C-alpha cells in the first residue's frame, strides 16, 4: 500500500485534501491523472449500465433532499455505527472494530486472569491481540509464550482465549452499567492502559447542515449518505415521464457523505465519496433470487471488463440473521486489497420496503400499474451499489507492479508499471517524436497528437531518451506509446507502436492505430 500511495501522490493521481493545512482526515482530492481515471470508471459504468441497455434510465438527484426522506428511509433513526471514546487521548474507535480478549497466566496449575488485551481490526486480529497480551505478561516479569488457540492453551502457560470479539457485541448481552464497568477494564489502543474507554454508543453518520437563514431544529437537513434514495423518491416521476416498463432500472452516479468514525485505508473508507447505484424494479411476484443472481454476475463481469483480475474477486453472502427484516438477501462482491479482502460492491434484494416507506411518509402512492396483468402493485427492487473510489483503489492495487527489465544496452533496471485496462487508463496513447530537434519529426508527431486528441486522452512527450519516456508512461498506466521516426516521414508513414505490458514493438499505420483504439477503448 505504501508504494501505491506514494505513486498516487508522485504522479498526481490522489492528494490529501487541504494538504497545505495539514490535511483533513477522510477527505481526498484527485489530481490530473486521478480525475481522468475516475471519469473513465464513471463513464464506463454509465455507458454499460445506462446507455447500452434499453431497460435502465439515468437520473441525477440533489445531494441535499427534504429531511423527511431520511426519516422515511430509516437513516435518521438507524444509520449509526457503535462508537467508543478514549477519554484520555480523545481518540474515537468503531466499537465493532475494537477487539478484546482476557489474558490468563497459569499459577500453581490454575488459570489467573491478569487483565484484557485489545487490538484494532486488522488482517490478523488474533496475532495483534497475542502481541498485546505478550506485552502485558512481560510486564509481570514472566517470560511465557502466548497461545491463542484452545489446544495450545491447554499445554501452555499463558493464554488469551474465551471472548475474542469486538467490544460492540457486548451491547447485546449486558446491561448498560455492566458494559460501562467492563469498558473501563479494556486498554485503550491509544494509551495501552485500561480505564479511559467509554461504553459503546450509537453515532449517526449523516452530516447535518442547516438550510436557509435560520439555524434551528426546523432548518436541519442532511448531506445524503447514499444516492439510492433519490431513485426511490423520483420513482413516480420516472414512471410517469420515462416510458419505462417493468422490469426496469433507475441509475445514478453522485457524491455521498458519511461521517465515518474511522476513515482508513487511503480512499477505501472516506467521509466524502462517490457512489454508482442502480435500483432495478421487478414485479412483486417476479423470481427475485434469479434477478439477484443475474445482477451479481453482471457486476462481476463488469469489473472484469475494466481489468480487475478474477483471482482477486470473491462473493460474501450476508448471513440471514444479520439482514434487515425486509431484506431478502445481500451479496457483496469482495476484492483482495493489500490490506485484506474487503467489500467492493453490494448487491441487495430489498423487497419493496423503500417505496412503501416513502408512500406511507409522503402520502403519495408508489404503485405501478402493470398493463399485461392489469394489476397494481408496489414493485420490488434489486440494488447493486458500488463506490467509484473503491473501484479506483482496486484498479490501482491490481494494476501496480514493480519489475526488473533490460534496457536497450541489456542493463537490468527497475520499472514501475500500472497495468490499467485501456478502457480506464487515464492516458490512452503517448506520442513521441524520436528527436526533438528535427522539425519534420516534431511536426508529424504534433499532427498525430492533435488528431488523436479529438477522441482520446493522449500525451505528447519529446524530452529524454525514448526508454525514459516509456518508463514515465508505464508508471501512469498508458497502454501504448507511438514514436515518429525517420521511417515515418521518409518512407511509408508507419510509426512504432510499443505495447506497455509485453513491451513489444511493431510498426503500424495511422488507420491501424485508430482501429486498435476503437476496439479497445469503449
Ligand atoms: N444504498 C446502499 C448503500 O449505500 P453501502 O454498502 O452502504 O450500501 C455501497 O454502500 C457501496 O458504496 C459500498 O459497497 C462501497 O463500495 C461504497 N462505500 C460505502 N461507504 C463508503 C465510504 N465510506 N468510502 C468509500 N466508499 C464507500
Amino acid at each position: 500500500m505504501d508504494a501505491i500511495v506514494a505513486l498516487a501522490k508522485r504522479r498526481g493521481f490522489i492528494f490529501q485534501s487541504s494538504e497545505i493545512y495539514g490535511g483533513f482526515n477522510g477527505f481526498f482530492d484527485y489530481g490530473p491523472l486521478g480525475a481522468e481515471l475516475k471519469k473513465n470508471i464513471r463513464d464506463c459504468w454509465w455507458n454499460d449500465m445506462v446507455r447500452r441497455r434499453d431497460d435502465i434510465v439515468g437520473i441525477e438527484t440533489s445531494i441535499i433532499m427534504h429531511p423527511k426522506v431520511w426519516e422515511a428511509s430509516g437513516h435518521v433513526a438507524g444509520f449509526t455505527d457503535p462508537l467508543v471514546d478514549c477519554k484520555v487521548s480523545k481518540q474515537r474507535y468503531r466499537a465493532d472494530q475494537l477487539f478484546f480478549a482476557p489474558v490468563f497466566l497459569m499459577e500453581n496449575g490454575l488459570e489467573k486472569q491478569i487483565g484484557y488485551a485489545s487490538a484494532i481490526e486488522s488482517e490478523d486480529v488474533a496475532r495483534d491481540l497475542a502481541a498485546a497480551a505478550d506485552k502485558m505478561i512481560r510486564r509481570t516479569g514472566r517470560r511465557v509464550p502466548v497461545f491463542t488457540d484452545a489446544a495450545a492453551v491447554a499445554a501452555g502457560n499463558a493464554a488469551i482465549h474465551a471472548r475474542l470479539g469486538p467490544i460492540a457485541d457486548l451491547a447485546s448481552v449486558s446491561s448498560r452499567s455492566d458494559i460501562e464497568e467492563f469498558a473501563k477494564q479494556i486498554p485503550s489502543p491509544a494509551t495501552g492502559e485500561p480505564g479511559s474507554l467509554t461504553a459503546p454508543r450509537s453515532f449517526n453518520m449523516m452530516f447535518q447542515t442547516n438550510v436557509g437563514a435560520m439555524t434551528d431544529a426546523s432548518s436541519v437537513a442532511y448531506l445524503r449518505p447514499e444516492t439510492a434514495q433519490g431513485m426511490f423518491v423520483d420513482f413516480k416521476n420516472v414512471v410517469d415521464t420515462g416510458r419505462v416498463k417493468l422490469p426496469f432500472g433507475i441509475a445514478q452516479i453522485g457524491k455521498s457523505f458519511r461521517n465515518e468514525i474511522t476513515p482508513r485505508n487511503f480512499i477505501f473508507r472516506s467521509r466524502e465519496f462517490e457512489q454508482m447505484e442502480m435500483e432495478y424494479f421487478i414485479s412483486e411476484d417476479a423470481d427475485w433470487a434469479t434477478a439477484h443472481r443475474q445482477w451479481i454476475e453482471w457486476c462481476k463481469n463488469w469489473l472484469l471488463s475494466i481489468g480487475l483480475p478474477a483471482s482477486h474477486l470473491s462473493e460474501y453472502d450476508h448471513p440471514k440473521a444479520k439482514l434487515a427484516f425486509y431484506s431478502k438477501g445481500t451479496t457483496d462482491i469482495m476484492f483482495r486489497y493489500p490490506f485484506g479482502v474487503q467489500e467492493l460492491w453490494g448487491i441487495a434484494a430489498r423487497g419493496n420496503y423503500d417505496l412503501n416507506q416513502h408512500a406511507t411518509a409522503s402520502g403519495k402512492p408508489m404503485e405501478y400499474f402493470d398493463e399485461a396483468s392489469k394489476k397494481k402493485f408496489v414493485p420490488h427492487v434489486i440494488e447493486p451499489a458500488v463506490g467509484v473510489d473503491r473501484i479506483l483503489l482496486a484498479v490501482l492495487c491490481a494494476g501496480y507492479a514493480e519489475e526488473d527489465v533490460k534496457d536497450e544496452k541489456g542493463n537490468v533496471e527497475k520499472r514501475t508499471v500500472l497495468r490499467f485496462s485501456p478502457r480506464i487508463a487515464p492516458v490512452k496513447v503517448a506520442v513521441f517524436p524520436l528527436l526533438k530537434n528535427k522539425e519534420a519529426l516534431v511536426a508529424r508527431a504534433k499532427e498525430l497528437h492533435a488528431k488523436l486528441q479529438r477522441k482520446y486522452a493522449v500525451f505528447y512527450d519529446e524530452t529524454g531518451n525514448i526508454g525514459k519516456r516509456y518508463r514515465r508512461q508505464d508508471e501512469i498506466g498508458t497502454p501504448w506509446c507511438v514514436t515518429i521516426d525517420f521511417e515515418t516521414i521518409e518512407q511509408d508513414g508507419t510509426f512504432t507502436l510499443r505495447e506497455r505490458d509485453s513491451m513489444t514493438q511493431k510498426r503500424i499505420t495511422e488507420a491501424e492505430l485508430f482501429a486498435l483504439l476503437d476496439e479497445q477503448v469503449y
Side-chain angles (χ1 to χ4, degrees):
M1 268 313 281
D2 290 346
I4 293 164
V5 173
L7 173 69
K9 162 102 201 267
R10 186 171 74 246
R11 297 309 310 263
F13 283 93
I14 302 164
F15 310 125
Q16 242 192 323
S17 163
S18 319
E19 196 181 294
I20 58 168
Y21 292 99
F24 203 38
N25 195 11
F27 297 90
F28 292 91
D29 294 343
Y30 287 86
L33 290 172
E36 273 298 331
L37 179 59
K38 205 168 173 213
K39 179 175 166 15
N40 293 343
I41 294 171
R42 255 190 245 122
D43 288 352
C44 282
W45 187 89
W46 188 265
N47 286 336
D48 293 339
M49 181 65 95
V50 181
R51 290 195 177 159
R52 295 179 182 139
R53 294 186 64 114
D54 297 327
D55 58 345
I56 298 180
V57 293
I59 60 171
E60 201 174 306
T61 66
S62 60
I63 285 173
I64 298 179
M65 302 167 83
H66 197 296
K68 282 190 176 157
V69 169
W70 306 108
E71 282 169 29
S73 68
H75 284 80
V76 169
F79 194 59
T80 57
D81 266 347
L83 168 88
V84 165
D85 280 306
C86 168
K87 288 189 271 189
V88 171
S89 68
K90 308 291 176 221
Q91 294 284 333
R92 299 190 135 175
Y93 302 97
R94 252 176 68 178
D96 56 339
Q97 295 172 351
L98 181 52
F99 290 77
F100 71 94
V103 180
F104 299 91
L105 272 178
M106 296 293 274
E107 261 180 20
N108 305 325
L110 291 173
E111 270 190 349
K112 185 177 160 228
Q113 189 180 339
I114 58 166
Y116 289 90
S118 64
I120 303 172
E121 189 180 57
S122 68
E123 276 165 63
D124 193 345
V125 177
R127 177 201 62 201
D128 296 347
L129 281 172
D134 186 59
K135 249 191 197 159
M136 285 177 70
I137 292 162
R138 279 168 183 274
R139 268 191 252 140
T140 67
R142 299 271 294 270
R143 292 283 179 274
V144 285
V146 176
F147 298 99
T148 54
D149 68 286
V153 166
N157 290 317
I160 57 167
H161 60 97
R163 293 195 66 92
L164 199 159
I167 193 166
D169 282 356
L170 288 175
S172 58
V173 293
S174 316
S175 75
R176 186 80 199 156
S177 58
D178 284 350
I179 302 172
E180 273 166 13
E181 279 315 303
F182 187 82
K184 288 186 195 148
Q185 300 178 54
I186 309 293
S188 158
T191 63
E193 297 298 329
S196 62
L197 290 185
T198 64
R201 65 188 165 87
S202 289
F203 170 78
N204 195 302
M205 290 195 289
M206 281 198 293
F207 280 104
Q208 274 193 23
T209 185
N210 292 87
V211 172
M214 300 295 285
T215 306
D216 59 19
S218 69
S219 66
V220 167
Y222 305 95
L223 302 193
R224 68 178 173 203
E226 62 170 27
T227 57
Q229 294 306 318
M231 275 81 92
F232 296 123
V233 170
D234 275 352
F235 173 76
K236 266 285 167 200
N237 282 334
V238 172
V239 171
D240 293 346
T241 59
R243 290 180 298 166
V244 284
K245 261 200 190 139
L246 279 188
F248 72 89
I250 311 179
Q252 148 156 252
I253 300 179
K255 289 263 184 158
S256 292
F257 303 83
R258 296 182 189 178
N259 197 0
E260 298 281 357
I261 299 167
T262 49
R264 60 188 170 133
N265 289 330
F266 199 29
I267 54 171
F268 177 81
R269 183 179 294 120
S270 47
R271 290 176 166 141
E272 174 177 337
F273 56 99
E274 201 162 354
Q275 287 186 310
M276 307 195 286
E277 295 195 279
M278 194 276 295
E279 306 300 329
Y280 198 71
F281 297 100
I282 55 176
S283 160
E284 61 176 349
D285 42 36
D287 174 3
W288 70 267
T290 301
H292 188 227
R293 176 43 54 192
Q294 280 167 350
W295 277 108
I296 297 167
E297 293 305 322
W298 189 96
C299 296
K300 281 210 285 199
N301 286 332
W302 188 82
L303 292 171
L304 300 179
S305 84
I306 60 157
L308 289 185
S311 57
H312 284 48
L313 301 175
S314 54
E315 285 182 29
Y316 169 75
D317 292 324
H318 288 228
K320 286 264 175 297
K322 291 215 165 168
L323 293 175
F325 70 91
Y326 51 82
S327 175
K328 290 173 185 279
T330 296
T331 300
D332 291 338
I333 298 175
M334 312 292 283
F335 181 78
R336 182 152 53 79
Y337 291 95
F339 44 85
V341 174
Q342 298 280 345
E343 173 190 336
L344 176 58
W345 203 328
I347 300 108
R350 298 180 59 86
N352 55 7
Y353 176 78
D354 306 88
L355 287 181
N356 278 336
Q357 285 294 103
H358 288 301
T360 309
S362 67
K364 305 282 186 311
M366 293 286 168
E367 285 154 324
Y368 171 89
F369 179 70
D370 187 44
E371 290 284 353
S373 63
K374 304 286 178 223
K375 276 200 330 191
K376 246 187 182 181
F377 55 85
V378 178
H380 287 223
V381 76
I382 309 288
E383 177 190 81
V386 69
V388 184
D389 315 74
R390 268 189 204 182
I391 295 179
L392 193 144
L393 184 57
V395 295
L396 272 179
C397 295
Y400 183 89
E402 286 170 18
E403 299 172 342
D404 286 334
V405 292
K406 285 201 177 127
D407 67 11
E408 303 99 74
K409 292 182 191 130
N411 301 322
V412 176
E413 59 172 24
K414 274 241 167 317
R415 86 158 178 161
T416 303
V417 58
L418 282 172
R419 296 186 198 281
F420 290 145
S421 146
R423 291 195 79 190
I424 57 160
V427 176
K428 309 298 182 198
V429 190
V431 182
F432 312 148
L434 183 64
L435 300 167
K436 69 173 174 187
N437 53 6
K438 287 281 178 273
E439 216 176 288
L441 294 179
V442 170
R444 176 68 183 110
K446 285 193 170 164
E447 182 201 71
L448 178 65
H449 175 252
K451 224 172 186 178
L452 286 164
Q453 221 170 18
R454 294 173 64 180
K455 281 186 88 175
Y456 303 104
V458 285
F459 192 82
Y460 175 83
D461 190 2
E462 57 180 27
T463 52
N465 68 39
I466 294 289
K468 281 220 175 73
R469 289 186 239 172
Y470 286 155
R471 292 289 169 274
R472 285 200 286 263
Q473 295 306 314
D474 290 343
E475 211 184 36
I476 63 166
T478 306
W480 300 287
C481 297
V482 296
T483 306
I484 307 295
D485 53 24
F486 292 103
E487 233 177 295
T488 320
I489 51 170
E490 288 167 5
Q491 295 179 28
D492 57 4
T494 61
F495 33 72
T496 313
L497 177 89
R498 185 261 195 182
E499 207 261 335
R500 177 198 62 206
D501 297 343
S502 62
M503 295 189 288
T504 53
Q505 300 184 14
K506 64 175 180 189
R507 294 204 73 84
I508 64 165
T509 64
E510 188 180 305
E512 284 167 341
L513 175 64
F514 272 95
L516 174 73
L517 288 168
D518 188 47
E519 190 207 309
Q520 302 265 333
V521 181
Y522 59 96

